[in-house]
Tab-separated table of all heavy atoms in Angstrom:
chain	number	residue	atom	x	y	z
L	5	GLY	N	110.941	114.875	113.541
L	5	GLY	CA	110.207	115.730	114.433
L	5	GLY	C	109.790	114.989	115.648
L	5	GLY	O	109.855	113.754	115.699
L	40	GLU	N	101.764	102.159	101.783
L	40	GLU	CA	102.941	101.327	102.248
L	40	GLU	C	103.697	102.008	103.368
L	40	GLU	O	104.020	101.340	104.342
L	40	GLU	CB	103.903	101.172	101.020
L	40	GLU	CG	105.092	100.235	101.358
L	40	GLU	CD	105.946	99.998	100.112
L	40	GLU	OE1	105.500	100.082	99.048
L	40	GLU	OE2	107.118	99.611	100.388
L	48	ASN	N	106.900	100.097	112.592
L	48	ASN	CA	107.953	100.772	113.385
L	48	ASN	C	107.583	101.036	114.771
L	48	ASN	O	108.429	101.067	115.700
L	48	ASN	CB	108.292	102.129	112.621
L	48	ASN	CG	109.416	102.850	113.296
L	48	ASN	OD1	109.149	103.740	114.132
L	48	ASN	ND2	110.661	102.505	113.033
L	51	VAL	N	103.281	97.794	115.906
L	51	VAL	CA	101.888	97.412	115.630
L	51	VAL	C	101.796	96.676	114.328
L	51	VAL	O	102.218	97.232	113.269
L	51	VAL	CB	101.010	98.697	115.584
L	51	VAL	CG1	99.588	98.332	115.306
L	51	VAL	CG2	101.101	99.452	116.891
L	63	LEU	N	91.351	100.644	110.084
L	63	LEU	CA	92.012	101.926	110.172
L	63	LEU	C	91.619	102.702	108.927
L	63	LEU	O	92.209	102.604	107.862
L	63	LEU	CB	93.553	101.700	110.211
L	63	LEU	CG	94.041	100.958	111.403
L	63	LEU	CD1	95.558	100.768	111.359
L	63	LEU	CD2	93.673	101.698	112.740
L	68	VAL	N	93.461	112.242	102.397
L	68	VAL	CA	94.759	112.051	101.852
L	68	VAL	C	95.085	113.325	101.121
L	68	VAL	O	94.287	113.890	100.369
L	68	VAL	CB	94.796	110.880	100.767
L	68	VAL	CG1	96.156	110.836	100.115
L	68	VAL	CG2	94.493	109.597	101.473
L	70	VAL	N	98.175	115.104	98.706
L	70	VAL	CA	99.415	114.874	97.948
L	70	VAL	C	99.794	116.196	97.313
L	70	VAL	O	98.972	116.813	96.684
L	70	VAL	CB	99.184	113.780	96.858
L	70	VAL	CG1	100.514	113.643	96.060
L	70	VAL	CG2	98.744	112.525	97.417
Side-chain angles (χ1 to χ4, degrees):
E40 184 176 336
N48 181 263
V51 178
L63 297 178
V68 174
V70 178

